[in-house]
Amino acid sequence: MQWAGCRDLDGVTKSLDQIDLKILSEIQADGRITNVELAKRVGISPPPCLRRVRTLEEEGYIQGYRGLLDPQRLGFEVTVFASVHLSSQADADLRAFEEFVRGEPLVRECWMLSGEVDFILKCVAPDMATFQDFVAHLTAAPHVRNVRTSLVLHSSKYAPAVPLELKMPG
């Protein structure tokens, strides 16, 4: 079974076979896996496994490798979602806001949305005072009409991975 829903950089459909999907799944579960162990888990020898991984990296399926850190253990006790409404949706103003957000270390994710909210930001801070200072800074940014915040009380699910299991046979 092949997954034909992916596009390469030229817009041409790139089919990922089951081995590619298994490689992606294993790397997603453990980015520190050795090539030898990865090859063993996906059922191929190490040299073609390494070639496939390099191809998946070059084609952008694998964007990078990083460790997932626990923000609370590192002193970032506050997680907040901020809904941002801009006064202008002109392309230049949207791009300017995105550029502003890229420079803000408390903002960990920024998503442009359709509908009533223009952007939603996921922010982490060491404490509420730091976050409140950031909100004052955010509301003063150009073209920001208003900001509504929702403090995270509890996380019921944290799954930063892509659900590749939906693309693999049972």
Side-chain angles (χ1 to χ4, degrees):
M1 182 170 154
Q2 289 189 344
W3 179 31
C6 298
R7 300 205 176 267
D8 67 16
L9 297 177
D10 297 324
V12 178
T13 299
K14 160 74 169 126
S15 295
L16 296 177
D17 63 17
Q18 289 304 304
I19 294 173
D20 290 331
L21 290 171
K22 286 179 186 175
I23 288 171
L24 292 172
S25 181
E26 293 294 336
I27 287 174
Q28 186 170 245
D30 180 5
R32 296 179 67 184
I33 191 170
T34 66
N35 184 60
V36 171
E37 180 62 24
L38 179 60
K40 184 171 136 184
R41 288 188 191 176
V42 302
I44 60 176
S45 64
C49 184
L50 184 58
R51 281 193 298 275
R52 281 176 177 254
V53 169
R54 287 186 177 151
T55 298
L56 291 165
E57 290 170 345
E58 290 166 5
E59 292 179 351
Y61 293 100
I62 300 171
Q63 295 180 341
Y65 301 88
R66 54 187 57 82
L68 294 176
L69 307 180
D70 184 330
Q72 290 187 334
R73 289 187 73 107
L74 292 164
F76 293 89
E77 299 290 329
V78 177
T79 301
V80 179
F81 287 92
S83 300
V84 179
H85 293 85
L86 300 183
S87 59
S88 167
Q89 285 73 35
D91 283 345
D93 298 332
L94 295 171
R95 284 193 304 275
F97 180 76
E98 290 175 323
E99 188 61 32
F100 166 80
V101 167
R102 281 187 202 97
E104 296 300 323
L106 295 184
V107 178
R108 305 316 304 158
E109 295 180 40
C110 174
W111 299 85
M112 183 188 292
L113 305 176
S114 65
E116 296 179 28
V117 174
D118 295 311
F119 291 91
I120 191 157
L121 312 178
K122 179 182 177 186
C123 305
V124 296
D127 52 52
M128 280 305 293
T130 302
F131 181 71
Q132 287 172 328
D133 289 344
F134 168 70
V135 170
H137 176 62
L138 177 62
T139 57
H143 304 290
V144 172
R145 183 174 63 193
N146 70 4
V147 176
R148 293 187 182 188
T149 61
S150 298
L151 178 66
V152 172
L153 300 176
H154 171 75
S155 174
S156 300
K157 181 176 182 180
Y158 176 66
V162 175
L164 290 175
E165 62 272 16
L166 298 177
K167 299 293 181 184
M168 295 160 64

